[in-house]
Structure formats: structure tokens, C-alpha cells
Amino acid sequence: MNKKSLKEFLQKAKKKTFASVIALPRINFDKSKEYVYKDGDWVYKDKYFGSVVDTGQELVFYKERLVWSMSYRGGMIKGKENLSRKCFSFLKKCLRNAPLDFPVRGPTCYEKGDFKYKNSWKGNLEDFIGEEMISFKGKQIYFRNYLGGMGKPRETNY
């Protein structure tokens, strides 16, 4: 496994799951929603709770070993819930345009019609923290905070 392969897999997995226009999540016994995407030795899982405001985690496994994860929380600003359908539809377009050098969320900026998406982060795929927001007609209606990176196995000398 190398970082280039991880980036390519992440970008593909996100387009095939939440950012897709046709994929639907599985509803679990605990009322969470979950997307799973598999490609060869790679497995991507995105599990979250909530809808208008949600919290969740994305995990990437390579050969059954966890290699990358991200935790997130966000959603609609209070009082703007009536725009959630249009907002999340726009968000999916943003996520389909994730930059290959950092395919964690969307691009740094994306605009279409009255919607504007902004994403900023510190770090790289190995260790990062970021936030994104969406505005409608110049007023913020959505927020999300996220953090994550690659794990490192413990060194053992047996």
C-alpha cells in the first residue's frame, strides 16, 4: 500500500458512496447509516448518526488492516433546516470534486448558483484537521469539522 493508491481509492470510494447520486446507505440496528465500498484489497466504510446534523467516522482498510480514518461532525445551521435537501445535494457535487492531493472532503472552493462551498484544512492525508461550510445567497447554512489521518502500528521487538 502506498499513499498514491490510498488517495486514488479514497476519491473513488467517496464518489461511489455518499457523494453518489444513486447510492443509498444501509440502516443499521442502532439507527446509524452506513456506506461500504470494496475494491480488491481495499474496503471503505462511512458510518454516521443523525441527518440534519450528524456525527460519524470514515475508515479505510487495506488487506483487512485499518490504514486511515476520519471523524466528523456537522450539518445544517439552526434555523436553516428547510434548505437541507438542496444543501446536501450541493454538498455531494462538491465532494465529487475532491482534489486528488487531498481527497478527504471537497475542493477549497466551489460555487454553483446561489450556493458557495469553502473547505480549509491543515496537514496532509497522514495527519489533518479541517472545516467546511456552505453558504446560500451569502449566508452560512451548513458547517462541518473533521480530523483524521493514517495510523502507525506499534513497533515490537519480540
Side-chain angles (χ1 to χ4, degrees):
M1 194 243 8
N2 60 50
K3 289 177 202 154
K4 183 177 186 261
S5 298
L6 173 60
K7 288 177 182 180
E8 290 169 354
F9 175 73
L10 259 177
Q11 196 169 52
K12 186 190 308 182
K14 288 177 180 253
K15 286 179 182 179
K16 298 277 187 178
T17 57
F18 178 79
S20 167
V21 292
I22 58 171
L24 295 172
R26 177 179 75 197
I27 309 298
N28 295 318
F29 73 94
D30 58 4
K31 305 295 185 228
S32 66
K33 296 174 187 158
E34 184 174 34
Y35 290 97
V36 177
Y37 175 72
K38 298 177 184 180
D39 186 6
D41 290 329
W42 294 93
V43 176
Y44 167 87
K45 293 183 177 187
D46 178 7
K47 182 176 182 176
Y48 62 98
F49 294 84
S51 56
V52 176
V53 174
D54 59 67
T55 184
Q57 185 176 47
E58 296 178 20
L59 304 169
V60 173
F61 298 85
Y62 180 72
K63 294 187 177 179
E64 299 180 2
R65 186 174 146 243
L66 181 65
V67 294
W68 183 90
S69 68
M70 176 179 72
S71 296
Y72 58 84
R73 181 186 179 277
M76 301 304 294
I77 300 285
K78 188 173 174 118
K80 304 296 182 184
E81 298 89 351
N82 62 320
L83 293 168
S84 65
R85 269 203 193 313
K86 289 180 181 178
C87 180
F88 282 102
S89 177
F90 174 70
L91 175 62
K92 289 180 179 194
K93 289 176 188 170
C94 299
L95 298 179
R96 287 193 293 269
N97 289 295
L100 185 55
D101 63 324
F102 190 73
V104 173
R105 296 299 291 171
T108 55
C109 191
Y110 184 82
E111 293 184 58
K112 186 159 185 169
D114 291 327
F115 287 93
K116 183 172 186 175
Y117 172 88
K118 288 185 180 180
N119 182 22
S120 61
W121 64 88
K122 292 178 184 174
N124 54 42
L125 198 62
E126 295 176 51
D127 184 17
F128 60 88
I129 185 167
E131 62 183 349
E132 64 185 5
M133 57 94 49
I134 293 176
S135 60
F136 178 72
K137 295 183 178 180
K139 299 204 184 222
Q140 185 177 355
I141 62 169
Y142 164 93
F143 72 98
R144 179 155 319 273
N145 297 300
Y146 60 90
L147 61 93
M150 297 174 72
K152 182 177 179 185
R154 182 181 313 172
E155 299 290 328
T156 57
N157 294 321
Y158 292 101

